[in-house]
């Protein structure tokens, strides 16, 4: 394997140092024949000894995070970010489908050192504290990704489908979704609000991308779906 390799659905790609590697509906990595996806959306290339991920699309954004979830960035159209970790996850949504691929570097320029007393993931991520019902809402939306092993693609449930999974009325679900997005927006998570303070239309997708890449919810939280069924407002 070369210095950089990309894993998508168990298939591996190895861009060379001299080429620009295109990812999208068409390109070196043909993600999916999805009309909502740009023909060329992301590019991986090496400049001045550093690998870069660039968003060359006009509409879609991508969430980029290191393997531990400790670093996360939102890659908007026209932006680029250096690939400096040994393992980087890239998640993006086109229409109803969310995609994920992983970038692996043999010689990362940034190495994370973990300590034995580091958190095992059970503590609150950042300054945001969620109730069990709020976390269950996030899990309901992220369930297809949490149950999937490895990289690939999945569909984000509609609000109505997620509400049914939890045994809630849609009005209750939407109210809690507003609260969750408000909490994350206040601590600087981008993409959850549109212009003028209004909630973004694709906030479910952005919420799932953030929650999964930051390890805000993990497969260990799937038990909350059963716990919430039939539970009164609390």
């Amino acid at each position: 394997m070369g210095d950089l390799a990309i894993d998508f659905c168990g298939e591996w790609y190895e861009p060379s140092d001299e080429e620009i590697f295109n990812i999208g509906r068409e390109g070196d990595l043909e993600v999916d024949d999805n009309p909502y996806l740009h023909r060329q959306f992301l590019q991986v290339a090496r400049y001045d000894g550093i690998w870069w991920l660039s968003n060359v699309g006009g509409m879609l954004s991508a969430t980029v995070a290191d393997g531990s979830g400790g670093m996360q960035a939102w890659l908007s159209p026209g932006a680029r970010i250096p690939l400096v970790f040994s393992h980087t996850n890239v998640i993006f949504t086109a229409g109803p489908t969310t995609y994920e691929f992983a970038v692996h570097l043999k010689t990362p320029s940034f190495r994370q050192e973990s300590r034995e007393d580091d958190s095992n993931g059970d503590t609150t991520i950042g300054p945001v504290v969620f109730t069990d019902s709020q976390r269950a809402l996030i899990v309901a939306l992220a369930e297809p990704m949490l149950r999937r092993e490895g990289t690939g693609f999945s569909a984000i449930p509609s609000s109505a489908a997620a509400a049914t999974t939890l045994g809630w009325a849609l009005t209750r679900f939407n109210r809690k979704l507003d609260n969750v997005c408000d909490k994350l927006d206040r601590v600087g998570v981008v993409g959850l609000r549109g212009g003028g303070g209004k909630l973004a239309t694709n906030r479910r997708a952005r919420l799932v991308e953030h929650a999964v890449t930051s390890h805000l919810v993990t497969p260990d939280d799937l038990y909350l779906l059963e716990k919430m069924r039939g539970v009164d407002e609390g």
Side-chain angles (χ1 to χ4, degrees):
M1 190 173 71
D3 184 48
L4 182 143
I6 297 171
D7 169 28
F8 178 65
C9 293
E11 295 187 7
W12 290 83
Y13 303 82
E14 297 181 23
S16 71
D17 291 6
E18 296 80 22
E19 72 176 318
I20 295 177
F21 187 85
N22 289 292
I23 300 168
R25 198 169 73 242
E26 300 174 2
D28 302 290
L29 197 172
E30 296 182 356
V31 175
D32 192 9
D33 187 18
N34 180 342
Y36 296 99
L37 181 62
H38 299 303
R39 282 182 298 172
Q40 292 189 356
F41 171 42
L42 299 172
Q43 289 182 341
V44 175
R46 188 178 177 93
Y47 303 108
D48 299 324
I50 298 176
W51 288 98
W52 293 83
L53 178 69
S54 303
N55 185 340
V56 296
M59 297 290 292
L60 303 177
S61 297
T63 299
V64 183
D66 71 312
S68 71
M71 186 287 300
Q72 185 185 109
W74 201 42
L75 193 66
S76 56
R80 71 174 185 170
I81 188 172
L83 296 167
V84 297
F85 298 104
S86 61
H87 183 158
T88 301
N89 293 320
V90 182
I91 299 181
F92 57 92
T93 302
T97 309
T98 293
Y99 303 89
E100 179 180 13
F101 65 86
V103 181
H104 298 264
L105 265 181
K106 271 189 175 179
T107 56
S109 56
F110 185 89
R111 297 183 183 274
Q112 294 168 292
E113 300 294 337
S114 60
R115 301 180 311 228
E116 291 184 0
D117 59 347
D118 278 350
S119 167
N120 61 7
D122 294 335
T123 56
T124 302
I125 303 294
V128 185
V129 178
F130 293 103
T131 64
D132 277 356
S133 60
Q134 289 172 335
R135 288 177 59 229
L137 178 146
I138 300 172
V139 172
L141 290 173
E143 182 181 9
M145 288 198 70
L146 295 177
R147 293 193 186 279
R148 191 193 68 214
E149 294 184 3
T151 61
F153 55 91
S154 55
I156 294 178
S158 65
S159 293
T164 299
T165 295
L166 294 166
W168 295 354
L170 182 58
T171 52
R172 179 187 179 189
F173 181 91
N174 285 334
R175 183 175 68 254
K176 287 190 176 291
L177 179 58
D178 289 344
N179 292 337
V180 168
C181 290
D182 282 339
K183 281 186 174 184
L184 291 172
D185 177 72
R186 285 197 295 269
V187 296
V189 177
V190 297
L192 295 174
R193 285 199 175 276
K198 296 181 179 178
L199 291 168
T201 55
N202 61 344
R203 57 183 175 152
R204 286 182 297 109
R206 174 57 184 144
L207 174 60
V208 169
E209 292 175 13
H210 170 76
V212 172
T213 55
S214 67
H215 300 181
L216 183 61
V217 294
T218 70
D220 290 341
D221 295 311
L222 286 166
Y223 78 94
L224 288 168
L225 299 181
E226 187 65 32
K227 180 179 179 180
M228 286 299 115
R229 292 190 184 102
V231 174
D232 292 333
E233 180 70 72

